[in-house]
Amino acid sequence: MQNNSKLLNKSFLIGMITTIVILLIGYGVWWLLRQGGVEFSVIAPKEIKSGELQTITFAYKNGMRVNLENAEIIVTLPENIYAPSEPNSKVIHINLGIIEKNTSATKTLDLIAIGEKNTIATFETSFRYKPVTLTSVFEKKVKTDMAIYGSAISLDIEMPTQILPETNFDIKVTWDNQSAMNFSNLKLIMEYPEGYILNESNII
């Protein structure tokens, strides 16, 4: 009986110590998070043109009383959005390192969306950080929608509606850069059905 009593007292003591430690850790996390907290936002245009370069701004603020470490911004891109700085990657990592307490800053990323008119281009951003006094990693996620209302390059085709067999006819293709950007290495590709032969093409 005496041994059982000692075991019960020991278990009770261990339980009390564990509970106190958990409460202290919980209070520490609560105290840290209530000190202004961490803010993160994504600044992007609501409407864009397909093929036009857009600068996206990521704003973050450490309002806590401790530094944040291992901070990074992760941008996940869908098929119709890409970053010219990393054209072959759909997940962009922006390393922030240590963010000092009570400081704020911004980072930018250039993106290009491609799609039809009246479609939506959506990307997701994650802001990850760890307070130096804790072992847990925190994360804030933001989903951003941009509506495509037109194209940076307009294309117009003029051709006859009726033709006679074995006669030559002209097809006029006109394109126009409707944006403030300069484009290079543009290609015009025309596919025509069997039975048609291209005689010549000229740029006017």
Side-chain angles (χ1 to χ4, degrees):
M1 290 293 293
Q2 189 175 2
N3 290 335
N4 290 337
S5 178
K6 288 182 178 179
L7 287 174
L8 288 175
N9 290 335
K10 186 176 182 180
S11 298
F12 177 77
L13 182 61
I14 292 173
M16 284 292 295
I17 293 174
T18 303
T19 302
I20 292 172
V21 170
I22 293 174
L23 289 174
L24 288 174
I25 293 174
Y27 176 78
V29 173
W30 172 81
W31 183 84
L32 284 173
L33 295 180
R34 71 185 292 270
Q35 306 302 316
V38 176
E39 299 176 11
F40 178 71
S41 62
V42 179
I43 304 169
K46 298 295 184 183
E47 295 183 334
I48 60 174
K49 286 184 178 180
S50 177
E52 190 172 42
L53 191 70
Q54 301 291 335
T55 299
I56 311 301
T57 301
F58 306 103
Y60 53 93
K61 177 182 178 181
N62 178 14
M64 302 174 69
R65 293 186 179 180
V66 297
N67 295 343
L68 306 178
E69 63 181 6
N70 301 328
E72 66 174 339
I73 296 171
I74 303 173
V75 185
T76 304
L77 303 176
E79 289 301 319
N80 63 336
I81 302 180
Y82 75 95
S85 59
E86 299 184 40
N88 298 320
S89 178
K90 285 299 178 183
V91 180
I92 312 297
H93 292 263
I94 304 174
N95 182 33
L96 305 176
I98 295 177
I99 304 176
E100 300 288 336
K101 60 184 179 181
N102 297 317
T103 60
S104 60
T106 60
K107 288 288 184 179
T108 60
L109 177 66
D110 290 334
L111 297 178
I112 293 178
I114 297 186
E116 299 294 329
K117 184 179 179 180
N118 298 326
T119 58
I120 302 296
T122 303
F123 65 92
E124 185 175 270
T125 308
S126 297
F127 177 57
R128 294 178 184 173
Y129 61 93
K130 187 183 82 66
V132 293
T133 53
L134 300 177
T135 58
S136 300
V137 175
F138 295 84
E139 182 178 35
K140 291 179 177 289
K141 289 187 176 182
V142 178
K143 184 174 288 187
T144 305
D145 295 329
M146 299 183 296
I148 299 176
Y149 69 91
S151 175
I153 303 293
S154 67
L155 190 66
D156 183 64
I157 300 177
E158 297 179 26
M159 61 179 294
T161 57
Q162 294 181 339
I163 57 172
L164 295 174
E166 299 182 0
T167 58
N168 293 332
F169 63 94
D170 294 331
I171 298 177
K172 182 180 180 182
V173 181
T174 305
W175 62 89
D176 180 37
N177 182 3
Q178 298 180 327
S179 73
M181 292 176 53
N182 294 323
F183 292 91
S184 61
N185 300 322
L186 294 179
K187 292 182 179 180
L188 178 63
I189 301 175
M190 179 178 290
E191 297 181 359
Y192 45 87
E194 186 178 353
Y196 288 80
I197 300 174
L198 176 64
N199 291 328
E200 62 177 344
S201 62
N202 299 294
I203 298 178
I204 303 175

